[in-house]
Amino acid sequence: MSARTLPEATFARTVLGSGSGSGSGSGPGLALAHGAGSSVAGTYGPILEGLAAHHTVVGIDYPGSGDTPRSTTPLSLDDLADQLVAAAVAEGLDTFALSGYSLGGPVAIRAAARHPERVTALVLTATFPYRDNHLALALPIWRKLAESGNREVLAEYLTMMALGADALEAMPAEQLQQVIGFTAASVADGTPEHAELAPRVDVRDDLPHIKAPTLVISTTQDRFTSTRLHRQLADTIPGAQLVEIHTGHLPMVERPEEWQKLITTFLARHSA
């Protein structure tokens, strides 16, 4: 069906729903693109079962995440996009919706642009079309901290940047230290390569050509990706809808039920 030849699906993947043996529900296909420094489980874990109750869910782990080995060469957005599509097709999905979070947003956008015949809908959360000046400052710090090997300092930086102000200030000191410890333990080994790719991402030329119904979920207290970038996505993708969720960069931590409902409600209206 796709006009482009797909590569062999070599990245580790998570499959839930119809045909996966998980006992979850079945339904239209949904491919997941996770955030940088994370994994499918790290990004979508709190809502995976909820998504699989309505969809056949396929998610890939980028190099250096989950069980996918680290890459010895710089990552390519096209390669990540094609691997996402190839994984879904390998699981028997001819067409499917795409959900992209943070760095996964450009991955999903590029996948929709390169394989439009396969994509039925697009959901973009806490993401960006290109590196603005804020990201130009924030991402190199993240990369340098990841390369330093000091996971505690990296976790302190990520906790400060990723949690919304309301969630961060509501935490007692003991809980805050627990969050930092959990973050340090869960940093993906491939974070330096993910953080190197992110500043090179630019999908602005893809946006006007997206044909799939699109929902942009704007995280209103986000210190990584700004609401300005979220609005730019919604304003440039034809017919895109913009909704807000009052969290920082981590809706899966701060408001997972609300995030899941936004995704599944939109996809229910645009299922294949």
Side-chain angles (χ1 to χ4, degrees):
M1 177 182 288
S2 176
R4 293 181 183 271
T5 301
L6 289 170
E8 179 185 358
T10 58
F11 290 4
R13 58 184 181 261
T14 298
V15 184
L16 291 171
S18 179
S20 69
S22 67
S24 299
S26 62
L30 173 60
L32 307 179
H34 67 75
S38 186
S39 62
V40 173
T43 292
Y44 288 98
I47 67 170
L48 268 177
E49 290 294 338
L51 295 177
H54 304 278
H55 300 87
T56 301
V57 175
V58 179
I60 59 167
D61 289 322
Y62 309 151
S65 294
D67 291 328
T68 306
R70 287 183 74 170
S71 176
T72 57
T73 58
L75 300 181
S76 157
L77 187 66
D78 286 354
D79 289 346
L80 297 186
D82 285 354
Q83 280 289 330
L84 179 62
V85 173
V89 172
E91 293 297 333
L93 301 176
D94 288 332
T95 61
F96 42 85
L98 291 171
S99 173
Y101 163 81
S102 195
L103 178 62
V107 173
I109 290 166
R110 184 57 53 85
R114 288 171 66 83
H115 306 277
E117 303 91 344
R118 295 195 179 274
V119 178
T120 59
L122 188 60
V123 179
L124 307 170
T125 303
T127 190
F128 59 101
Y130 74 106
R131 176 200 68 185
D132 63 1
N133 285 338
H134 178 77
L135 285 172
L137 295 170
L139 292 172
I141 296 172
W142 181 23
R143 181 183 175 188
K144 290 171 186 175
L145 289 173
E147 291 173 339
S148 76
N150 191 329
R151 287 187 169 229
E152 183 175 357
V153 174
L154 172 60
E156 290 171 348
Y157 172 74
L158 291 176
T159 301
M160 174 189 69
M161 291 288 290
L163 281 174
D166 292 344
L168 183 61
E169 297 308 323
M171 284 186 183
E174 182 178 354
Q175 184 184 6
L176 180 58
Q177 289 306 309
Q178 290 173 346
V179 168
I180 291 170
F182 175 81
T183 301
S186 60
V187 170
D189 291 341
T191 295
E193 292 85 70
H194 302 175
E196 188 278 332
L197 170 63
R200 293 190 281 111
V201 162
D202 191 336
V203 294
R204 285 176 289 183
D205 287 346
D206 294 332
L207 302 181
H209 306 292
I210 298 297
K211 301 183 184 302
T214 300
L215 176 69
V216 178
I217 301 176
S218 176
T219 37
T220 60
Q221 296 185 359
D222 202 322
R223 293 187 178 97
F224 267 121
T225 63
S226 71
T227 55
R228 174 182 168 274
L229 291 176
H230 307 158
R231 287 193 299 270
Q232 183 174 354
L233 287 167
D235 289 345
T236 311
I237 297 173
Q241 177 185 350
L242 179 74
V243 297
E244 294 182 342
I245 185 169
H246 297 296
T247 72
H249 197 62
L250 303 176
M252 75 292 295
V253 172
E254 298 178 44
R255 296 194 177 196
E257 296 86 0
E258 182 179 346
W259 186 36
Q260 178 190 314
K261 185 175 180 181
L262 288 173
I263 296 172
T264 55
T265 300
F266 179 78
L267 293 182
R269 295 200 302 267
H270 300 284
S271 59

